[in-house]
Structures are given as C-alpha cells and as structure tokens.
Amino acid sequence: MTSGAEGTWSYEGYVPGDEHLREALCTLGNGVFATRGALPECTADEVHYPGTYAAGCYDRLTSHVAGRDVENEDLVNLPNWLTLRFRPRDHRGPADWLHPDQDRVLEHRTTLFLDSGILERSTRYQDPQDRRTAVRQLRLVHMAEPQLAALRSEFTAENWSGELDVESALDGTVRNAGVPRYRDLNGSHLVDVHPGFAAPRHITLRCRTRTSDLRIALAARTTSPDPVRAQVVDHHTGRAAHLLHLPLTQGRTVTVDKTVALYTSRSTAISDPLWAAVDAVGRAPGFDELLASHLTAWTQLWRRAELDVPDEAGHILRLHLFHVLQTLSPHTAELDVGVPARGLHGEAYRGHVFWDELFVLPYLNLHFPEVSRALLTYRHRRLGAACRAAHDAGHVGAMYPWQSGSDGREETQRLHLNPRSGRWLPDHTHLQHHVGSAIAYNIWRYAEATGDAEFLHTKGAETVLQIARFWADRAVHDEDLGRYRIRGVVGPDEYHDAYPGADRPGVDDNAYTNVTAAWVLARALDLLDTLPAPRRVELAERIGFDGGEAEAWGDIARRLYVPFHDGVISQFEGYEELAELDWDAYRKRYDDIRRLDRILEAEGDSVNRYRASKQADVLMLGHLFPPSELGALMRGLGYELDDTIWRRTVDHYLRRTSHGSTLSGLVHGWVLARARRAEAWNFVHEALIGDIADVQGGTTGEGIHLGAMAGTLDLVQRGLTGLQTRDEALWLDPAPLPELTGSGYGFTIRYRGHWGVRLRLGPGRVHLTVPASDRVPILLELPDRAVSVRPGESCDLLLPRG
C-alpha cells in the first residue's frame, strides 16, 4: 500500500514479495548513476536486489543458450556502494547481523520524498535475544555533484546497552542477476576487483568490465560524530569494509554517515577514476552540507518542470516526473547516452535504448531542451553505424537498430525465452525499422519546439536525410498496385513477426511503418527546401546526395501503399485473412492475457495466426499526429481518412488488443480522448498506475517503464491541451478529461528562450503568463483566433465550445 502527503511516496510494513517493486520505485539517481531502493543491510537474493547503474556503462558477454552461443550487451550492475549492516552487542555477546528476513520486524516504513530526492527508511528490529533496535536512514544520490552519494544512519537501543557494530562496505562481488529470465545468461561483468584504503576512514574499490574495459572506482568515507571505541579497515576478496564499534546505552541514538564517490573511465574531466574518487570523497563536506546543496538542485529542477494536476492523478504524475528527472537530468546533456527504456532502475531489456524517446523527448523539449539535444546527438554519433548496417543489409541510407547500446550496432537478441513454456524462441523484433522514423520525428519536433536551426541544419539534417534515403531504398514499386511497398518488417504491435506458416520473418506494408516513412520523406524534402544553399552543398558533398534522389522521394512519399479492409486501415497487408481470436474464452481460461503471445506459444499455437495486437500499432498514428495533420498526411498519399473511418479503425483495434505493454494504455487513452472521450479515462488510468500497481505482472521490479511514465506527462502537456509548436507559434486545441484534470490544471514550459511560461487550463478557458525577458512575443493560436502575448504579460482567454 502506498500513502503519504503530496510530495511523498510511502510504503508501510515489510512485505518480502513487494521488495523488488519498491526497490525500483524508490530508486534514487541524478542522470549519471542511480541506485535501487534496497535496504543497505541486504545483499542480492530472491527478495532483495541492490543494483547501481551508470548511464552508458555497458559490457558485452557471450553465453551458451539452447545449443548456440549468443552475445548480449548489458547495462552493468556496478559495485554496491550502499552496503551497511549492523548488530547489537552486549553482555550476552553479539547478535547476527540484523536482517529483515531473519529477525522480527516490529515496524517498517519507507518514504520517498519526491520534492527533495531523499529516501527515508525507519525500521524497528527485535533479535532472538529480544533486544530491540531502531534504525532510521536518509539516502541521497547527489543531484548537484553527480559523482557523490550519501547515507545517514541513526541507531537507537530501545531496551539494551552495550555496543553497536556497524560495517560499511563497498562490494565488488555483484553480478547482473536482476531479471529471472536472463539468469541462464552470463552476468559476470566485473573483473580485476581490488579493494583498498586511502586513509584511516576511507576505503576504496576499483575494477573494470570484462569486455568493454571500462574502469570503475569507488571511494567511501564512514564517520560518526559519536564516540567510536574502535574502527577497523577490513579487506576480503572483492570487498572493502570499514567496521565501527560504537558504545550505545538504552534510549540513546548514535549516527553514522557514509559518503561515497563513484567514477568511471567515461567520467569527464578526470585522468584516473580511482584518484578522482578518492579526491572527491576526501573533499566532500559533511552530510548536512551535502543535503543542503542537493535540496537546492532539486528545487531548481522542480521549478523548471512545474506541474499542477489535482488529486491522486497529480500525485502519481509527480512520481513519474521524479523518475524522468533523475534518469534524464541536466547532467545527461554532458553525456553520450540514449533513453534507457527501463530507466537506470534495473536490468530489464538489458538497459538498451529502443524507441521510447518518442514518448520522452516531446516532454523534455519544452523543459530541458539541452537534454533533448544531447539524446538526439547520441543518435547522430551512431549515424555511421546505422549507415553501415544498411549497407550490410543491401540498402543505402541509415538503418538504425531496434535496440541500441554503447556503439550503435543492433543489440536485439536473436533468441528470447518464453517463461510460460521454458522454450528459447527466435526473436525477429530487429525488423522494427520504424525506429528510424521515430528518430527523424524527434529531430523535427525538437526543432519546431526550440527553433534550434543550427542543430536541424547540421546533425539533424544529416540524420533525417539518411533515414529518408533508407526508406526510399526499402520502398519497391508494385506495377499492379501502382504504388510503393515496404516488405519484411515488424510493426509496433510486435506480436506479428511473420505470416502464418511463412519461411521468412516480417510482414508487408505495415500501415504505421509506411505512413511514417512517407512523413519522413516529406519532411526530408521540406528540409532540403529550407537549408541554406552553402549547407546544402556541404551535405551533397558529405553524403553524396544528388537532386535525382529528391525527385524520387517525392514520388514515393505520395504513393506508398496503405492497406485497408472492411472500411478500416489494415495493420498490414493480409491482416484481414487472419483468424479471429475467441477473446472471451481466453479471458475466462487465463487470469491475465496481456502476454497473449506467450500463452499461445505455450499451447503450441502462434499469435501470428490471429487478429490480435500486443499494443497500439495503427493507432500509434493518432498519437504522433493531430487529427488534422494525420488527415492531410493520408490525403497526400491518396487516401481519405475522415472522422468516420478513423473512429471505425479505433473501434476495430480496440477490440483486438491485449495491452501487453505499458505504452498501450497510454496511446489508447491519448487517441480516445479525442475519438471517444467517454472511454478514455480507463486507459489513461491504467497508464498512470502501470508501474505503481505493476499491471504487467512483476516487470516493474526489473526496472520502471520510462516511456510510459514520460508519456503520461506529455498526455497532460500536449495530448489533452492539443499543444503544438509549429509555424513559429504555440497552438492549443484542448480536449478536457475531467477524471484526470478536475476543474483545472497547469504547468510551465520553456519555449524558444522564454523560461517559465505558465499555462493554466480550466473549463472553457486558458490562462497564459509569459515572464519578463528580452524575447519576442509568443503567438498563441486557438481554434478560433490568434493572440500575441508579450514578455511580462498575461492573458485569460475563453475557449470555443467543442
């Protein structure tokens, strides 16, 4: 159960079965590294998993699975800096180290303070000798000094006197073992682990990753303002520890502070990670001063991401925003990293980068554009790898990988485990080439939101043009249809990776893939028209581009094939020939059919035989494009898509989707907010509680779903407001959802040099405040009129009745 006032997230009682979920949701981070909310006295086992992950720190290992060698790159579980265990000692001798699974837990409470990025735990233990010991701990991963973390522990002897033994350690014996279905895979990434000490109160640990050869170093300082009878620095294989013996009398509290510095060879402005860690922890101030600067940094973050949504929905959205901010903070702007689909919160998806930035960047563009630019630069740095991948596949342009990690090669596994059947199966999701369209889309929307022409005309143009080139090469003209077709792909649905009984993977003419490819080609042509002439010459010289290609792109963009059946957009060519699934029968037979693909495979069947989708596929078009833009896009392809056809299409897929992804509820709620508002809330609500209620059945404990969390924020920011940033203006066309927004809601944005622009929407009205600056006025476009608002002014406008 969660509880707590606004700005906190709390768990009462110790429930072993809930620990993995709580650890993920109580993760603390700063964009550089993050640590799960595990109890410091616990090591990794079936109940606890104290992982620490640094952005972009990957390693590649080979495992032998199902009779073959498979290679996987993982976000590495770094040495555990958190370790701190304790035990009472009196005339009866020492107890075992206190542990929630071995001793009686009288009370337990964990509270996450969202406003300040602090995790508090309070526990009362009773050991077998009936000694009662209370512990309260405050933890932070420093938001201002991103290599530092700290843990304050306060111990109280409730009914005994004697000594308290406290062992503070750095543990390098950890491995990647946080996802049960990966445990057949090699997870031993850390080698050459060397514990040491740098001063009487400082311990160190250095190691490297096995294949990528990243050097990792930690240094820890453990102190107490209370008298310490003795302290010993202890070294074991792979582990450095500092043991303190503190006199403790009944009713008295003693405090122990642990300060840690973590550096890797990817850290900037250092020569050696170990020297940097030792120097940083030696210079770090005490806990109170660290806390003060940490709180200041969080205050500034919240000011830039102000969000005011009422009631429970607002509480959950604030949690989502918290996790977005500590995964992709302003520090991210200095790193070469992408958007990890599961945050820095666990090992699911191996820490890889998918298409989730499609749901993340639209939010960041209007709050932290420098972070968006850095994430897009991550893609541009891997443009060469994408072009080589296309060449190796017999194509031109850029073929971006569905799963990306350190260097831009395709990281999608070729085998995946079905935990229901225990079988390892071929994985064809690398055919989701639509990820390239997502990258181009993000570049275009970023430029619209920020006006960053420099990026658009340089890195952005190179990336978009090479993606357009790939789509033009993949499109093959069909003489019978008189249209272009794109064959052998997998769409966002992911269930359908082949036709029934086919000897090759992929499906043909996935509607989402083809429509977004047409959009990319059209935007590439727009970009070529607006590029400064010298820059266009440079691009032609750099990538070998010529005018004949542009002419072909225009033809393809107008004549890509989009299949229809029964008056609705077909998910792909041949979709209408698939069998209908008996949905009611499967819902009765199984408690949860979200992962219908696994159920059917375990039965000896295949989801490829059925009209059944894991998540939004065709309907993703309604998420990316406002109704007017989608209609114009389809007309440009020679198809009519009016409200009647779109609503019929929505109804068709709504009845045939199992929602096996946290993104599914989000997209359906977004689309239904305009297509059929009365049904939108159920899906929006599922998107809101997706992680906190772990609706996908145990997956959140392996890492939060960052795209879904950021997507709910963008739903409030753009989906329900109809907010668009195009044609040098802010456009609003609200679609209120009272269950979410109540009588009104508001947020601030950063728009083209205007900081802290405040929007407040209520029933039938919108209020806009533009802080004073030297910027030009903001043009606000409403459905029935346009208004110009100067810096230092506010306006209160009535909205037209819809």
Short mmCIF file of all heavy atoms in Angstrom, two decimals, residues 563-609:
data_model
loop_
_atom_site.label_atom_id
_atom_site.label_comp_id
_atom_site.label_asym_id
_atom_site.label_seq_id
_atom_site.Cartn_x
_atom_site.Cartn_y
_atom_site.Cartn_z
N PRO A 563 -2.67 -0.41 -46.73
CA PRO A 563 -3.78 -1.36 -46.93
C PRO A 563 -5.00 -0.99 -46.08
O PRO A 563 -4.87 -0.46 -44.97
CB PRO A 563 -3.18 -2.69 -46.49
CG PRO A 563 -2.09 -2.34 -45.53
CD PRO A 563 -1.55 -1.02 -45.97
N PHE A 564 -6.17 -1.27 -46.61
CA PHE A 564 -7.44 -1.12 -45.90
C PHE A 564 -8.22 -2.42 -46.02
O PHE A 564 -8.03 -3.19 -46.96
CB PHE A 564 -8.28 0.01 -46.53
CG PHE A 564 -7.87 1.40 -46.15
CD1 PHE A 564 -6.71 1.96 -46.67
CD2 PHE A 564 -8.65 2.16 -45.29
CE1 PHE A 564 -6.33 3.25 -46.34
CE2 PHE A 564 -8.28 3.45 -44.95
CZ PHE A 564 -7.13 4.00 -45.48
N HIS A 565 -9.12 -2.67 -45.07
CA HIS A 565 -10.09 -3.75 -45.19
C HIS A 565 -11.32 -3.37 -44.39
O HIS A 565 -11.23 -2.73 -43.33
CB HIS A 565 -9.51 -5.08 -44.67
CG HIS A 565 -9.43 -5.16 -43.18
ND1 HIS A 565 -8.38 -4.61 -42.46
CD2 HIS A 565 -10.27 -5.72 -42.26
CE1 HIS A 565 -8.57 -4.83 -41.17
NE2 HIS A 565 -9.71 -5.50 -41.02
N ASP A 566 -12.47 -3.75 -44.88
CA ASP A 566 -13.75 -3.51 -44.20
C ASP A 566 -13.89 -2.07 -43.73
O ASP A 566 -14.43 -1.80 -42.65
CB ASP A 566 -13.90 -4.45 -43.00
CG ASP A 566 -13.86 -5.92 -43.40
OD1 ASP A 566 -14.23 -6.21 -44.56
OD2 ASP A 566 -13.45 -6.76 -42.57
N GLY A 567 -13.38 -1.12 -44.52
CA GLY A 567 -13.54 0.28 -44.18
C GLY A 567 -12.64 0.78 -43.08
O GLY A 567 -12.88 1.86 -42.53
N VAL A 568 -11.58 0.01 -42.73
CA VAL A 568 -10.62 0.46 -41.70
C VAL A 568 -9.21 0.28 -42.25
O VAL A 568 -8.97 -0.49 -43.20
CB VAL A 568 -10.76 -0.33 -40.38
CG1 VAL A 568 -12.18 -0.25 -39.85
CG2 VAL A 568 -10.33 -1.79 -40.54
N ILE A 569 -8.25 1.00 -41.66
CA ILE A 569 -6.85 0.82 -42.03
C ILE A 569 -6.39 -0.55 -41.55
O ILE A 569 -6.58 -0.91 -40.39
CB ILE A 569 -5.98 1.91 -41.41
CG1 ILE A 569 -6.46 3.31 -41.83
CG2 ILE A 569 -4.51 1.71 -41.79
CD1 ILE A 569 -5.73 4.44 -41.13
N SER A 570 -5.79 -1.34 -42.45
CA SER A 570 -5.26 -2.65 -42.07
C SER A 570 -3.91 -2.48 -41.39
O SER A 570 -3.08 -1.68 -41.83
CB SER A 570 -5.09 -3.54 -43.31
OG SER A 570 -6.33 -3.81 -43.92
N GLN A 571 -3.68 -3.29 -40.38
CA GLN A 571 -2.40 -3.20 -39.69
C GLN A 571 -1.25 -3.54 -40.65
O GLN A 571 -0.17 -2.95 -40.56
CB GLN A 571 -2.38 -4.15 -38.49
CG GLN A 571 -1.16 -4.00 -37.61
CD GLN A 571 -1.30 -4.73 -36.31
OE1 GLN A 571 -2.29 -4.53 -35.59
NE2 GLN A 571 -0.36 -5.58 -35.98
N PHE A 572 -1.48 -4.47 -41.55
CA PHE A 572 -0.51 -4.80 -42.59
C PHE A 572 -1.25 -5.55 -43.70
O PHE A 572 -2.40 -5.98 -43.52
CB PHE A 572 0.66 -5.64 -42.04
CG PHE A 572 0.25 -6.84 -41.23
CD1 PHE A 572 -0.09 -8.05 -41.85
CD2 PHE A 572 0.20 -6.77 -39.85
CE1 PHE A 572 -0.47 -9.15 -41.10
CE2 PHE A 572 -0.18 -7.87 -39.09
CZ PHE A 572 -0.53 -9.07 -39.72
N GLU A 573 -0.61 -5.70 -44.82
CA GLU A 573 -1.21 -6.41 -45.94
C GLU A 573 -1.48 -7.87 -45.54
O GLU A 573 -0.59 -8.57 -45.04
CB GLU A 573 -0.28 -6.36 -47.15
CG GLU A 573 -0.77 -7.14 -48.35
CD GLU A 573 -2.02 -6.52 -48.98
OE1 GLU A 573 -2.44 -5.42 -48.55
OE2 GLU A 573 -2.57 -7.14 -49.90
N GLY A 574 -2.71 -8.32 -45.77
CA GLY A 574 -3.08 -9.68 -45.41
C GLY A 574 -3.65 -9.83 -44.02
O GLY A 574 -4.03 -10.94 -43.62
N TYR A 575 -3.71 -8.76 -43.28
CA TYR A 575 -4.24 -8.82 -41.91
C TYR A 575 -5.66 -9.38 -41.89
O TYR A 575 -6.03 -10.16 -41.00
CB TYR A 575 -4.21 -7.41 -41.30
CG TYR A 575 -4.86 -7.29 -39.94
CD1 TYR A 575 -4.14 -7.56 -38.77
CD2 TYR A 575 -6.20 -6.90 -39.81
CE1 TYR A 575 -4.73 -7.43 -37.52
CE2 TYR A 575 -6.79 -6.78 -38.57
CZ TYR A 575 -6.06 -7.05 -37.42
OH TYR A 575 -6.65 -6.93 -36.19
N GLU A 576 -6.47 -9.01 -42.89
CA GLU A 576 -7.87 -9.42 -42.90
C GLU A 576 -8.04 -10.92 -43.11
O GLU A 576 -9.12 -11.49 -42.84
CB GLU A 576 -8.64 -8.66 -43.99
CG GLU A 576 -8.33 -9.08 -45.42
CD GLU A 576 -7.03 -8.49 -45.94
OE1 GLU A 576 -6.34 -7.78 -45.17
OE2 GLU A 576 -6.73 -8.73 -47.12
N GLU A 577 -6.98 -11.60 -43.55
CA GLU A 577 -7.07 -13.04 -43.77
C GLU A 577 -6.78 -13.85 -42.50
O GLU A 577 -6.94 -15.07 -42.49
CB GLU A 577 -6.09 -13.45 -44.87
CG GLU A 577 -6.39 -12.81 -46.22
CD GLU A 577 -5.33 -13.12 -47.25
OE1 GLU A 577 -4.50 -14.01 -46.99
OE2 GLU A 577 -5.34 -12.47 -48.31
N LEU A 578 -6.36 -13.18 -41.45
CA LEU A 578 -6.07 -13.88 -40.20
C LEU A 578 -7.36 -14.28 -39.49
O LEU A 578 -8.42 -13.68 -39.70
CB LEU A 578 -5.22 -13.00 -39.28
CG LEU A 578 -3.88 -12.53 -39.84
CD1 LEU A 578 -3.15 -11.70 -38.80
CD2 LEU A 578 -3.01 -13.69 -40.30
N ALA A 579 -7.24 -15.28 -38.63
CA ALA A 579 -8.41 -15.77 -37.89
C ALA A 579 -8.76 -14.81 -36.76
O ALA A 579 -7.90 -14.08 -36.24
CB ALA A 579 -8.12 -17.15 -37.33
N GLU A 580 -10.01 -14.82 -36.36
CA GLU A 580 -10.45 -14.07 -35.18
C GLU A 580 -10.20 -14.92 -33.94
O GLU A 580 -10.47 -16.14 -33.94
CB GLU A 580 -11.93 -13.71 -35.28
CG GLU A 580 -12.25 -12.65 -36.31
CD GLU A 580 -11.86 -11.25 -35.86
OE1 GLU A 580 -11.17 -11.12 -34.83
OE2 GLU A 580 -12.24 -10.29 -36.56
N LEU A 581 -9.69 -14.31 -32.90
CA LEU A 581 -9.45 -14.99 -31.64
C LEU A 581 -10.71 -14.96 -30.79
O LEU A 581 -11.45 -13.97 -30.79
CB LEU A 581 -8.31 -14.31 -30.89
CG LEU A 581 -7.85 -14.95 -29.59
CD1 LEU A 581 -6.97 -16.16 -29.87
CD2 LEU A 581 -7.08 -13.95 -28.72
N ASP A 582 -10.95 -16.04 -30.05
CA ASP A 582 -12.07 -16.07 -29.10
C ASP A 582 -11.59 -15.39 -27.81
O ASP A 582 -11.14 -16.04 -26.88
CB ASP A 582 -12.50 -17.51 -28.84
CG ASP A 582 -13.79 -17.57 -28.03
OD1 ASP A 582 -14.17 -16.55 -27.41
OD2 ASP A 582 -14.42 -18.65 -28.02
N TRP A 583 -11.69 -14.07 -27.80
CA TRP A 583 -11.17 -13.30 -26.68
C TRP A 583 -11.84 -13.67 -25.36
O TRP A 583 -11.17 -13.79 -24.33
CB TRP A 583 -11.34 -11.80 -26.96
CG TRP A 583 -10.44 -11.31 -28.05
CD1 TRP A 583 -10.70 -11.29 -29.38
CD2 TRP A 583 -9.11 -10.79 -27.89
NE1 TRP A 583 -9.63 -10.78 -30.08
CE2 TRP A 583 -8.64 -10.46 -29.20
CE3 TRP A 583 -8.28 -10.55 -26.80
CZ2 TRP A 583 -7.37 -9.93 -29.43
CZ3 TRP A 583 -7.02 -10.01 -27.02
CH2 TRP A 583 -6.59 -9.71 -28.30
N ASP A 584 -13.15 -13.84 -25.38
CA ASP A 584 -13.86 -14.16 -24.14
C ASP A 584 -13.39 -15.49 -23.57
O ASP A 584 -13.21 -15.63 -22.35
CB ASP A 584 -15.37 -14.22 -24.40
CG ASP A 584 -15.96 -12.86 -24.68
OD1 ASP A 584 -15.33 -11.85 -24.28
OD2 ASP A 584 -17.04 -12.78 -25.30
N ALA A 585 -13.17 -16.47 -24.44
CA ALA A 585 -12.72 -17.78 -23.96
C ALA A 585 -11.35 -17.68 -23.31
O ALA A 585 -11.10 -18.29 -22.26
CB ALA A 585 -12.69 -18.77 -25.12
N TYR A 586 -10.44 -16.90 -23.90
CA TYR A 586 -9.10 -16.78 -23.33
C TYR A 586 -9.12 -15.98 -22.03
O TYR A 586 -8.34 -16.26 -21.11
CB TYR A 586 -8.14 -16.18 -24.35
CG TYR A 586 -7.50 -17.25 -25.21
CD1 TYR A 586 -8.14 -17.71 -26.36
CD2 TYR A 586 -6.31 -17.85 -24.84
CE1 TYR A 586 -7.59 -18.72 -27.13
CE2 TYR A 586 -5.75 -18.86 -25.60
CZ TYR A 586 -6.39 -19.29 -26.75
OH TYR A 586 -5.85 -20.30 -27.49
N ARG A 587 -9.97 -15.01 -21.95
CA ARG A 587 -10.07 -14.25 -20.69
C ARG A 587 -10.61 -15.12 -19.57
O ARG A 587 -10.23 -14.95 -18.40
CB ARG A 587 -10.94 -13.01 -20.89
CG ARG A 587 -10.28 -11.93 -21.74
CD ARG A 587 -11.06 -10.63 -21.70
NE ARG A 587 -10.37 -9.59 -22.45
CZ ARG A 587 -10.66 -9.22 -23.69
NH1 ARG A 587 -11.68 -9.83 -24.33
NH2 ARG A 587 -9.96 -8.28 -24.30
N LYS A 588 -11.50 -16.05 -19.91
CA LYS A 588 -12.03 -16.97 -18.89
C LYS A 588 -10.98 -18.01 -18.49
O LYS A 588 -10.89 -18.41 -17.34
CB LYS A 588 -13.28 -17.67 -19.43
CG LYS A 588 -14.50 -16.78 -19.54
CD LYS A 588 -15.68 -17.53 -20.13
CE LYS A 588 -16.90 -16.62 -20.29
NZ LYS A 588 -18.05 -17.32 -20.92
N ARG A 589 -10.19 -18.45 -19.47
CA ARG A 589 -9.22 -19.51 -19.22
C ARG A 589 -8.00 -19.02 -18.46
O ARG A 589 -7.40 -19.75 -17.68
CB ARG A 589 -8.79 -20.13 -20.55
CG ARG A 589 -8.06 -21.46 -20.41
CD ARG A 589 -7.62 -22.01 -21.76
NE ARG A 589 -8.69 -21.94 -22.75
CZ ARG A 589 -8.50 -22.14 -24.04
NH1 ARG A 589 -7.28 -22.39 -24.50
NH2 ARG A 589 -9.52 -22.08 -24.88
N TYR A 590 -7.62 -17.75 -18.71
CA TYR A 590 -6.41 -17.20 -18.09
C TYR A 590 -6.76 -15.94 -17.32
O TYR A 590 -7.56 -15.13 -17.75
CB TYR A 590 -5.36 -16.89 -19.16
CG TYR A 590 -4.86 -18.11 -19.90
CD1 TYR A 590 -5.44 -18.49 -21.10
CD2 TYR A 590 -3.83 -18.89 -19.38
CE1 TYR A 590 -4.99 -19.61 -21.78
CE2 TYR A 590 -3.37 -20.01 -20.05
CZ TYR A 590 -3.96 -20.37 -21.26
OH TYR A 590 -3.51 -21.48 -21.92
N ASP A 591 -6.10 -15.78 -16.22
CA ASP A 591 -6.36 -14.61 -15.38
C ASP A 591 -5.90 -13.33 -16.06
O ASP A 591 -6.50 -12.27 -15.91
CB ASP A 591 -5.65 -14.78 -14.03
CG ASP A 591 -5.91 -13.62 -13.10
OD1 ASP A 591 -7.09 -13.30 -12.89
OD2 ASP A 591 -4.93 -13.04 -12.58
N ASP A 592 -4.82 -13.42 -16.83
CA ASP A 592 -4.22 -12.24 -17.46
C ASP A 592 -3.76 -12.65 -18.85
O ASP A 592 -2.94 -13.56 -19.01
CB ASP A 592 -3.04 -11.75 -16.63
CG ASP A 592 -2.44 -10.45 -17.16
OD1 ASP A 592 -2.79 -10.05 -18.29
OD2 ASP A 592 -1.62 -9.84 -16.45
N ILE A 593 -4.29 -11.99 -19.89
CA ILE A 593 -3.90 -12.34 -21.26
C ILE A 593 -3.08 -11.24 -21.91
O ILE A 593 -3.00 -11.16 -23.14
CB ILE A 593 -5.13 -12.70 -22.12
CG1 ILE A 593 -6.05 -11.47 -22.29
CG2 ILE A 593 -5.87 -13.88 -21.57
CD1 ILE A 593 -7.09 -11.66 -23.38
N ARG A 594 -2.47 -10.38 -21.12
CA ARG A 594 -1.67 -9.31 -21.71
C ARG A 594 -0.58 -9.87 -22.61
O ARG A 594 -0.34 -9.35 -23.69
CB ARG A 594 -1.06 -8.44 -20.61
CG ARG A 594 -2.08 -7.68 -19.79
CD ARG A 594 -1.41 -6.94 -18.64
NE ARG A 594 -2.38 -6.45 -17.67
CZ ARG A 594 -3.03 -5.31 -17.78
NH1 ARG A 594 -2.80 -4.54 -18.83
NH2 ARG A 594 -3.90 -4.94 -16.88
N ARG A 595 0.11 -10.90 -22.14
CA ARG A 595 1.14 -11.53 -22.98
C ARG A 595 0.53 -12.75 -23.67
O ARG A 595 0.91 -13.90 -23.45
CB ARG A 595 2.35 -11.89 -22.14
CG ARG A 595 3.14 -10.68 -21.67
CD ARG A 595 3.47 -9.69 -22.79
NE ARG A 595 4.18 -10.28 -23.90
CZ ARG A 595 5.51 -10.28 -24.01
NH1 ARG A 595 6.26 -9.68 -23.09
NH2 ARG A 595 6.10 -10.83 -25.07
N LEU A 596 -0.39 -12.45 -24.55
CA LEU A 596 -1.10 -13.47 -25.30
C LEU A 596 -0.15 -14.28 -26.17
O LEU A 596 -0.37 -15.47 -26.43
CB LEU A 596 -2.17 -12.80 -26.16
CG LEU A 596 -3.13 -13.68 -26.95
CD1 LEU A 596 -3.97 -14.54 -26.02
CD2 LEU A 596 -4.02 -12.81 -27.82
N ASP A 597 0.92 -13.64 -26.65
CA ASP A 597 1.88 -14.36 -27.48
C ASP A 597 2.50 -15.53 -26.72
O ASP A 597 2.67 -16.63 -27.26
CB ASP A 597 2.96 -13.40 -27.98
CG ASP A 597 3.69 -12.67 -26.86
OD1 ASP A 597 3.08 -12.47 -25.77
OD2 ASP A 597 4.85 -12.27 -27.06
N ARG A 598 2.82 -15.31 -25.45
CA ARG A 598 3.42 -16.37 -24.64
C ARG A 598 2.41 -17.48 -24.36
O ARG A 598 2.75 -18.66 -24.36
CB ARG A 598 3.97 -15.79 -23.34
CG ARG A 598 5.15 -14.86 -23.54
CD ARG A 598 5.58 -14.21 -22.24
NE ARG A 598 6.78 -13.41 -22.43
CZ ARG A 598 7.30 -12.62 -21.48
NH1 ARG A 598 6.71 -12.55 -20.28
NH2 ARG A 598 8.39 -11.91 -21.72
N ILE A 599 1.17 -17.09 -24.10
CA ILE A 599 0.12 -18.07 -23.83
C ILE A 599 -0.07 -18.98 -25.03
O ILE A 599 -0.10 -20.21 -24.91
CB ILE A 599 -1.20 -17.36 -23.47
CG1 ILE A 599 -1.08 -16.66 -22.10
CG2 ILE A 599 -2.37 -18.34 -23.46
CD1 ILE A 599 -2.26 -15.77 -21.77
N LEU A 600 -0.22 -18.39 -26.20
CA LEU A 600 -0.47 -19.18 -27.40
C LEU A 600 0.72 -20.07 -27.74
O LEU A 600 0.55 -21.24 -28.12
CB LEU A 600 -0.81 -18.26 -28.57
CG LEU A 600 -2.17 -17.56 -28.48
CD1 LEU A 600 -2.29 -16.48 -29.53
CD2 LEU A 600 -3.30 -18.58 -28.65
N GLU A 601 1.94 -19.56 -27.60
CA GLU A 601 3.11 -20.37 -27.90
C GLU A 601 3.20 -21.56 -26.95
O GLU A 601 3.54 -22.68 -27.37
CB GLU A 601 4.38 -19.52 -27.81
CG GLU A 601 5.63 -20.19 -28.39
CD GLU A 601 6.29 -21.16 -27.45
OE1 GLU A 601 6.21 -20.94 -26.22
OE2 GLU A 601 6.90 -22.15 -27.92
N ALA A 602 2.88 -21.34 -25.68
CA ALA A 602 2.91 -22.43 -24.71
C ALA A 602 1.86 -23.49 -25.03
O ALA A 602 2.03 -24.66 -24.67
CB ALA A 602 2.70 -21.88 -23.30
N GLU A 603 0.79 -23.08 -25.71
CA GLU A 603 -0.24 -24.03 -26.13
C GLU A 603 0.10 -24.72 -27.46
O GLU A 603 -0.67 -25.54 -27.95
CB GLU A 603 -1.58 -23.30 -26.31
CG GLU A 603 -2.21 -22.80 -25.02
CD GLU A 603 -3.55 -22.13 -25.24
OE1 GLU A 603 -3.89 -21.83 -26.41
OE2 GLU A 603 -4.27 -21.92 -24.24
N GLY A 604 1.24 -24.37 -28.04
CA GLY A 604 1.60 -24.92 -29.33
C GLY A 604 1.01 -24.17 -30.50
O GLY A 604 1.02 -24.65 -31.64
N ASP A 605 0.49 -23.00 -30.25
CA ASP A 605 -0.14 -22.16 -31.27
C ASP A 605 0.77 -20.95 -31.53
O ASP A 605 1.87 -20.85 -30.99
CB ASP A 605 -1.52 -21.72 -30.79
CG ASP A 605 -2.46 -21.35 -31.93
OD1 ASP A 605 -1.98 -21.17 -33.06
OD2 ASP A 605 -3.68 -21.23 -31.66
N SER A 606 0.32 -20.02 -32.34
CA SER A 606 1.09 -18.81 -32.63
C SER A 606 0.16 -17.63 -32.78
O SER A 606 -0.87 -17.72 -33.44
CB SER A 606 1.90 -18.99 -33.91
OG SER A 606 2.47 -17.75 -34.31
N VAL A 607 0.55 -16.51 -32.18
CA VAL A 607 -0.24 -15.30 -32.29
C VAL A 607 -0.24 -14.78 -33.73
O VAL A 607 -1.12 -13.99 -34.10
CB VAL A 607 0.29 -14.23 -31.30
CG1 VAL A 607 1.60 -13.65 -31.78
CG2 VAL A 607 -0.74 -13.15 -31.05
N ASN A 608 0.71 -15.22 -34.53
CA ASN A 608 0.74 -14.80 -35.93
C ASN A 608 -0.51 -15.22 -36.70
O ASN A 608 -0.79 -14.67 -37.77
CB ASN A 608 1.98 -15.38 -36.63
CG ASN A 608 3.25 -14.63 -36.30
OD1 ASN A 608 3.23 -13.43 -36.06
ND2 ASN A 608 4.37 -15.34 -36.26
N ARG A 609 -1.25 -16.16 -36.17
CA ARG A 609 -2.45 -16.66 -36.86
C ARG A 609 -3.66 -15.78 -36.65
O ARG A 609 -4.69 -15.96 -37.31
CB ARG A 609 -2.77 -18.08 -36.39
CG ARG A 609 -1.71 -19.12 -36.74
CD ARG A 609 -2.13 -20.50 -36.26
NE ARG A 609 -3.43 -20.86 -36.81
CZ ARG A 609 -4.50 -21.21 -36.09
NH1 ARG A 609 -4.41 -21.21 -34.76
NH2 ARG A 609 -5.64 -21.53 -36.67
#
